[in-house]
């Protein structure tokens, strides 16, 4: 298969075939909700929808999101090759209805109709020393993007100071403000430190971790576990109808900060948590 | 499970209460930000007949045009309704709408409009795009497709057994308000403030 066609298949899989770790988490959430509750009903509908989308090869959610590519490629290769193939795949994926046209010009309000525009799709390129190519794709929904939040510590309204206790408070604050608007049960990515742009970038890249995958640093892993417990006590529940499952997992990472700044970013993704990885090694393409 | 079919009378809609599960059939019109802005600013007549005693749906679908020129819905879940908060009450009353389908719920201004003009807010399952598209039996027509683009156009559709939950009723009840107040209280306890 040509590169561009392999990327088209990556897009199709991301939009229509929910990853097993997420599906398992949704199943667990379904089992936790009480019989006959709106929450149980919603989780049942979500699971049925996931199965239907996979069988019919149609987008599980009509908001197929913004396309964000993270491409790692070997030394000596050009970015252009990957960019061109991905742009072709985005256009073709739109024509095949794997994707809804989601690139709108803010000045004219015109939709490009094919998901290609200025910084759309967006690319994070990284040259690495491995003899293989890794293309990761996230389809980031707009509703959940709107409930993401960035804070600088200290944050007096909730008495959040410059430490992990402060970080815990503002993640709770962001999730309670989001209510069901981000299509709960959602997944939370947290980036601690860095400037405003790279703080958000760090929080979002966490979404490539698998559900249940804890951070190698004990302090952050403990905070992830603590927050997962805290957030599910809020009883916002699926779609904000009330219930036990508000958040499926919390992924945190940290990076150096400027002495004067303590920026924390909270990214939210809906239950339709669409990210897939494609690897090309010795001419063989595999997907995860 | 309550079954409802458009046209829906004011009397029927006022009987619904928060928490009711409904299977909706009949005429539904999609409308998002551009559509609501237009309906408030220009009050166009082309959509009046389709909306009368029917339902508006906050949705930007994935669609497919068949060789015979007919459209079909491929994926069509709800979008976040709160963006239409400034417009919704006026649109419901102006066009005699009986139901608003969306996700995430709406605010006090809409709640007041629903009560005053006799309509409810139906919550659909966010993200359930394929499942909901399967309940769309026919795309009757589309308005403003060229000007607004696929997600923002007015798609007039015929649905059968579209699953929704009443989360704001015509008597001022709102599940969203209840959950918000309760969860804020728990959050404050967790944060120790």
């Amino acid at each position: 298969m040509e590169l561009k066609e392999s990327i088209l298949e990556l897009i199709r899989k991301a939009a229509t075939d929910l990853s097993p770790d997420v599906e398992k988490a949704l199943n667990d959430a379904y089992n936790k909700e009480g019989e006959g509750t709106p929450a149980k009903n919603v989780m049942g509908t979500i699971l049925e929808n996931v199965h239907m989308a996979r069988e019919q090869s149609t987008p599980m959610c009509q908001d197929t999101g913004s396309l964000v590519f993270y491409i790692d490629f070997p030394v000596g290769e050009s970015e252009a090759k990957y960019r061109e193939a991905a742009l072709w795949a985005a256009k073709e994926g739109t024509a095949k209805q794997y994707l809804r046209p989601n690139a709108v010009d803010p000045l004219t309000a015109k939709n490009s109709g094919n998901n290609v525009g200025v910084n759309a799709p967006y690319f994070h390129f990284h040259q690495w020393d491995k003899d293989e190519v890794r293309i990761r794709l996230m389809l980031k929904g707009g509703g959940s993007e709107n409930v993401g939040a960035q804070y600088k510590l200290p944050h007096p309204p909730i008495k959040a100071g410059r430490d992990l206790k402060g970080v815990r408070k503002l993640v709770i604050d962001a999730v309670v403000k989001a209510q069901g608007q981000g299509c709960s049960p959602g997944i939370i990515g947290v980036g601690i430190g860095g400037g405003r742009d790279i703080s958000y970038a760090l929080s979002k890249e966490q979404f490539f971790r698998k559900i249940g995958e804890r951070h190698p640093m004990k302090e952050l892993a403990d905070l992830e576990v603590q927050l997962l417990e805290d957030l599910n006590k809020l009883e916002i529940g699926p779609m904000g109808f009330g219930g036990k499952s508000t958040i499926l997992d919390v992924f945190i990472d940290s990076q150096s900060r400027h002495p004067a700044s303590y920026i924390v970013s909270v990214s939210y993704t809906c239950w339709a948590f669409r990210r897939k990885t494609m690897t090309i090694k010795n001419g063989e393409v595999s997907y995860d | 499970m309550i079954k409802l079919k458009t046209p829906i009378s004011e009397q029927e809609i006022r009987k619904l209460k928060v928490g009711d599960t409904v299977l909706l059939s009949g005429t539904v019109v999609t409308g998002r930000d551009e559509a609501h802005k237009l309906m408030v600013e220009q009050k166009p007549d082309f959509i009046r007949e389709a909306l009368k005693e029917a339902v508006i749906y906050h949705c930007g679908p994935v669609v497919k045009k068949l060789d015979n020129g007919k459209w079909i819905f491929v994926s069509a879940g709800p979008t976040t309704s709160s963006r239409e908060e400034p417009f919704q009450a006026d649109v419901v009353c102006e066009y005699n709408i009986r139901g608003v389908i969306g996700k995430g719920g709406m605010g006090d201004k809409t709640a007041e409009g629903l009560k005053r003009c006799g309509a409810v807010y139906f919550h659909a399952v966010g993200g359930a795009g394929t499942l909901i598209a399967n309940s769309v039996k026919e795309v009757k027509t589309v308005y403003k497709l060229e000007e607004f683009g696929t997600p923002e156009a007015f798609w007039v559709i015929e649905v059968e057994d579209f699953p929704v939950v009443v989360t704001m009723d015509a008597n001022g009840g709102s599940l969203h308000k209840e959950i918000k107040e309760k969860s804020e209280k728990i959050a404050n306890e967790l944060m120790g403030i």
Side-chain angles (χ1 to χ4, degrees):
Chain A
M1 206 167 10
E2 270 189 77
L3 175 65
K4 61 183 189 178
E5 273 148 14
S6 325
I7 298 178
L8 177 62
E9 176 61 4
L10 178 70
I11 291 173
R12 189 194 68 80
K13 280 180 180 289
T16 67
D17 183 7
L18 193 68
S19 298
D21 61 324
V22 187
E23 195 171 352
K24 184 183 175 300
L26 291 171
N27 258 312
D28 293 347
Y30 172 81
N31 290 330
K32 271 184 216 154
E33 298 295 350
E35 284 304 326
T37 58
K40 184 102 175 174
N41 203 348
V42 165
M43 292 313 302
T45 303
I46 286 174
L47 287 166
E48 197 184 337
N49 179 67
V50 167
H51 301 152
M52 278 183 181
R54 185 177 293 130
E55 271 168 33
Q56 300 179 12
S57 192
T58 51
M60 66 188 87
C61 178
Q62 79 294 334
D63 177 9
T64 54
S66 294
L67 285 85
V68 190
F69 283 98
Y70 297 73
I71 302 181
D72 305 288
F73 61 100
V75 175
E77 288 197 353
S78 86
E79 286 181 12
K81 172 173 129 186
Y82 295 101
R83 186 186 299 273
E84 279 162 23
L87 292 181
W88 177 88
K91 288 181 189 167
E92 192 62 20
T94 314
K96 287 188 179 306
Q97 289 94 32
Y98 302 149
L99 300 174
R100 183 178 73 183
N102 272 356
V104 178
D105 183 324
L107 305 183
T108 62
K110 202 75 190 153
N111 191 318
S112 74
N114 60 12
N115 275 302
V116 175
V118 179
N119 278 340
Y122 191 78
F123 294 92
H124 297 266
F125 280 109
H126 174 226
Q127 201 177 52
W128 64 2
D129 290 329
K130 294 185 188 177
D131 194 22
E132 60 186 65
V133 182
R134 181 176 69 169
I135 303 181
R136 294 179 298 169
L137 169 64
M138 184 186 306
L139 300 179
K140 184 62 180 67
S144 64
E145 189 67 5
N146 285 344
V147 298
Q150 192 170 66
Y151 297 81
K152 68 178 166 66
L153 290 173
H155 186 63
I158 51 170
K159 298 189 178 130
R162 291 187 153 198
D163 52 24
L164 291 186
K165 281 182 192 157
V167 173
R168 171 178 167 261
K169 283 186 181 181
L170 53 83
V171 175
I172 295 171
D173 186 61
V175 171
V176 86
K177 286 199 170 109
Q179 292 289 302
Q181 309 261 355
C183 278
S184 50
I187 296 95
I188 301 294
V190 182
I192 306 174
R196 290 188 180 273
D197 51 351
I198 57 172
S199 175
Y200 259 134
L202 184 69
S203 70
K204 248 185 190 170
E205 199 169 357
Q206 301 315 304
F207 291 145
F208 286 103
R209 285 162 62 182
K210 298 274 191 213
I211 302 273
E213 184 186 328
R214 296 281 62 87
H215 196 283
M217 275 174 64
K218 190 176 181 302
E219 298 92 317
L220 295 181
D222 288 349
L223 183 57
E224 289 171 350
V225 172
Q226 172 73 53
L227 269 168
L228 185 59
E229 196 186 315
D230 289 335
L231 298 172
N232 285 322
K233 280 183 188 158
L234 294 172
E235 290 186 27
I236 293 168
M239 290 298 131
F241 289 1
K244 296 187 174 69
S245 303
T246 301
I247 294 298
L248 299 175
D249 209 350
V250 181
F251 302 121
I252 308 173
D253 202 1
S254 74
Q255 59 196 351
S256 298
R257 63 178 178 86
H258 183 280
S261 301
Y262 197 126
I263 305 285
V264 181
S265 301
V266 181
S267 285
Y268 194 116
T269 177
C270 49
W271 67 259
F273 180 22
R274 289 153 295 171
R275 66 343 183 196
K276 290 273 174 188
T277 300
M278 164 184 154
T279 308
I280 312 173
K281 198 174 181 180
N282 304 324
E284 292 284 315
V285 178
S286 60
Y287 297 94
D288 179 29
Chain B
M1 192 80 80
I2 299 163
K3 286 210 171 203
L4 272 184
K5 190 171 189 329
T6 66
I8 307 170
S9 69
E10 183 171 347
Q11 198 188 2
E12 273 181 288
I13 217 77
R14 289 211 185 261
K15 279 189 213 152
L16 297 176
K17 50 185 192 311
V18 165
D20 283 345
T21 308
V22 174
L23 289 176
L24 185 72
S25 299
T27 305
V28 168
V29 180
T30 70
R32 297 170 38 124
D33 313 356
E34 296 286 338
H36 280 76
K37 191 162 172 274
L38 184 82
M39 286 187 282
V40 166
E41 288 177 359
Q42 298 181 23
K43 301 186 173 55
D45 288 327
F46 67 82
I47 203 69
R48 211 169 276 282
E49 189 56 38
L51 283 173
K52 194 182 171 206
E53 302 201 302
V55 175
I56 192 158
Y57 181 21
H58 300 153
C59 170
V62 175
V63 296
K64 182 179 183 176
K65 195 172 193 173
L66 302 175
D67 292 339
N68 64 10
K70 277 261 177 197
W71 292 94
I72 55 169
F73 272 33
V74 176
S75 189
T79 190
T80 307
S81 299
S82 57
R83 294 195 307 272
E84 314 321 334
E85 180 64 13
F87 312 112
Q88 199 67 66
D90 294 341
V91 167
V92 163
C93 294
E94 170 70 27
Y95 287 94
N96 207 3
I97 294 169
R98 290 280 170 254
V100 176
I101 312 176
K103 73 173 176 82
M106 303 190 76
D108 292 340
K109 191 180 170 196
T110 301
E112 188 276 326
L114 297 176
K115 196 173 167 184
R116 179 160 46 92
C117 296
V120 300
Y121 181 84
F122 293 118
H123 203 299
V125 176
T130 290
L131 183 133
I132 296 171
N134 286 355
S135 77
V136 177
K137 296 303 159 196
E138 191 194 350
V139 178
K140 291 161 111 179
T141 188
V142 57
Y143 298 102
K144 297 279 173 188
L145 179 58
E146 269 303 301
E147 195 177 334
F148 291 172
T150 302
E152 301 283 337
F154 291 90
W155 295 90
V156 182
I157 56 176
E158 198 66 21
V159 303
E160 196 179 293
D161 293 342
F162 183 149
V164 289
V165 177
V166 177
T167 57
M168 295 168 71
D169 61 31
N171 307 306
S174 169
L175 178 66
H176 306 287
K177 212 170 166 177
E178 268 172 50
I179 299 288
K180 186 165 186 282
E181 282 165 9
K182 202 168 130 193
S183 59
E184 280 171 351
K185 196 167 162 274
I186 300 168
N188 286 345
E189 281 163 17
L190 288 170
M191 292 191 279
I193 55 171

